[in-house]
Amino acid sequence: MDSPWLTRRLTNVATRHQDHRSPFQRDRARILHSAAFRRLQSKTQVMGSGESDFHRTRLTHSLEAAQIGSGIIAQIRHKYPEQSQQLLPSDDSLIESLCLAHDIGHPPFGHGGEVALNFMMREHGGFEGNGQTFRIVSHLEPFSEHYGMNLTRRTLLGLIKYPQTLDCLQQATLPELPASFRQLPAAQWHPPKGLYHDDIGMLDWVLAPLSADDKALFQQFSSNHNAHSKTRYKSLDCSMMELADDIAYGIHDLEDAIVTGVVNQQDFTEQVVNRLLTIDDQWLHEYSQTLAKKLFSAKRYQQKEAIGGLVNYLITAVTLVDINQSNHTHFQEPLLRFNAVHPPKAAKTLQIFKDFVFHYVIKQTSIQQVEYRGQQIVMELFQALCSDPERLLPKNTVARWQHAKAHKLNHHRIIADYVAGMTDEYATKLYQTLFLPLGQSGFGKYEQ
């Protein structure tokens, strides 16, 4: 591995007595011990946190993604030993770090909270969960004074799923403003996927080892005048993390919906099994014959067996591609030139499961109602905190807000940071404290 990718923004790092860990093992430790990671235990994954002691939260989803990521990297090492020796670290700490950290920027109440903060920040740089993740690890977490967790450059590169700023990706014309918060149409206010212009300095530092041509190509995006633009490329490490995330979402999150009765066997057979049978894959055809019966069986071991088989199929299908050949690009940097991908059959299989979770779980009325409620809570909290920050924010956050305002920085971003860091439960309790006559008070202190 080239040394520039192992460097940290703050080079004066404390040395520990007899610490023999690799740089990526230290990165993983910082992520695991961060407050932002702990808060994932009370943030919505698909179904609302706190509604059951069974279903997954953002924390357990991230742990499962890390396990799948280790499986993916093991496959790549096995299939491509020579390239792996040149491209991959000797252990799994890097991929585990990326999978553990990939969701820590998500606000309370899932995509409802993200839509709410993007709307409230529409004139101040926008809000997006992946951009917030990058901001937390590179700026907000107090492992260093100014550079967050002070992770290695390669870990930061792997966390950048969309290497462009929101202002470059935002659709040309904003939607018409609603008459009130309660009339906000969520579908019109989803943010583009990218990073904040507020963090452009750190982004430039991460990409500094790239040639000018590589940097320009890596940050390319497809323009769309009627919708948000989309970035086109991601790094090798990011591609593995994203596959792990998608498998955990499409397969493991489905288990929650089945066990809690959110979806039924008939819909699953019609929308998943019948579509799987159209794919020209003998193993998949044979597996699909008993899949619905096992998944909806009262015998839990059969469910686990069915889930495990699907996850194994999707992990073992992963391949390593040279995108200079497949996409006719000209990347010089190996970390950008190679990506982990699913071949067409496996990609179609995973998409069938993701589509089912989206349409039959996430879009279910009861879940959308909870998401809408969270959306309202987040907008009301943001508006209240903006009205009198020095009165309503905790002292540490007030100091950051005052510093930003004094130096003519984006002080609205400080309030967005504070709200985004809340768990579902904390945001609900603060809402009750501020707006309900019988609301709680003195329920605990949360410092960003």
Side-chain angles (χ1 to χ4, degrees), residues 59-101:
L59 179 67
T60 55
H61 161 78
S62 299
L63 292 170
E64 287 178 332
Q67 177 62 31
I68 293 169
S70 293
I72 289 173
I73 205 169
Q75 282 296 314
I76 292 176
R77 288 195 185 106
H78 176 73
K79 292 178 179 178
Y80 311 94
E82 293 183 9
Q83 290 165 306
S84 296
Q85 196 167 11
Q86 297 175 349
L87 293 169
L88 301 177
S90 58
D91 64 23
D92 296 351
S93 301
L94 173 59
I95 187 63
E96 289 176 357
S97 296
L98 300 180
C99 292
L100 292 171

Side-chain angles (χ1 to χ4, degrees), residues 188-414:
Q188 296 181 17
W189 287 96
H190 282 288
K193 294 184 180 296
L195 306 178
Y196 306 141
H197 193 269
D198 297 314
D199 301 318
I200 191 69
M202 183 59 79
L203 174 61
D204 288 341
W205 178 81
V206 173
L207 303 184
L210 301 178
S211 67
D213 288 343
D214 269 8
K215 181 180 178 182
L217 181 59
F218 186 51
Q219 294 192 281
Q220 276 187 4
F221 53 89
S222 54
S223 297
N224 191 332
H225 295 295
N226 298 318
H228 299 315
S229 299
K230 297 179 180 180
T231 57
R232 300 177 62 190
Y233 303 109
K234 55 182 60 68
S235 70
L236 167 63
D237 303 321
C238 184
S239 70
M240 291 188 290
M241 174 265 282
E242 197 163 44
L243 281 173
D245 181 25
D246 284 351
I247 294 171
Y249 163 80
I251 308 300
H252 284 303
D253 290 355
L254 173 63
E255 182 185 5
D256 287 358
I258 291 172
V259 173
T260 54
V262 171
V263 296
N264 61 63
Q265 186 170 344
Q266 181 179 344
D267 286 339
F268 181 82
T269 299
E270 292 175 357
Q271 301 299 322
V272 177
V273 174
N274 290 347
R275 291 178 65 191
L276 292 176
L277 291 173
T278 66
I279 300 174
D280 183 18
D281 185 303
Q282 183 177 353
W283 181 90
L284 202 57
H285 279 211
E286 294 176 358
Y287 204 76
S288 298
Q289 301 298 326
T290 58
L291 180 58
K293 182 180 179 180
K294 287 182 176 180
L295 283 177
F296 288 86
S297 171
K299 299 176 180 178
R300 291 297 311 283
Y301 74 88
Q302 291 189 352
Q303 292 177 346
K304 291 295 184 184
E305 180 182 310
I307 292 289
L310 288 169
V311 172
N312 181 72
Y313 169 78
L314 293 168
I315 289 176
T316 56
V318 172
T319 61
L320 188 68
V321 299
D322 182 343
I323 65 172
N324 282 356
Q325 297 177 4
S326 59
N327 291 4
H328 305 292
T329 56
H330 298 90
F331 281 118
Q332 301 168 26
E333 170 56 55
L335 292 180
L336 305 185
R337 179 177 174 178
F338 293 93
N339 269 194
V341 302
H342 265 149
K345 293 177 184 178
K348 187 175 181 180
T349 299
L350 181 54
Q351 191 61 50
I352 288 171
F353 282 96
K354 288 171 61 179
D355 289 346
F356 184 75
V357 171
F358 180 76
H359 291 291
Y360 284 82
V361 183
I362 291 176
K363 285 300 183 182
Q364 192 174 88
T365 300
S366 60
I367 290 178
Q368 285 301 305
Q369 288 173 344
V370 173
E371 192 170 290
Y372 174 84
R373 180 184 67 191
Q375 180 180 307
Q376 302 304 310
I377 290 173
V378 169
M379 288 189 289
E380 295 270 9
L381 287 178
F382 188 95
Q383 185 182 56
L385 296 171
C386 278
S387 71
D388 199 344
E390 293 173 298
R391 178 186 181 194
L392 298 176
L393 290 172
K395 291 181 179 179
N396 285 358
T397 309
V398 167
R400 291 182 55 234
W401 182 86
Q402 290 172 332
H403 178 270
K405 194 159 190 181
H407 291 81
K408 298 184 178 180
L409 302 174
N410 185 0
H411 54 277
H412 290 88
R413 180 66 63 197
I414 308 304

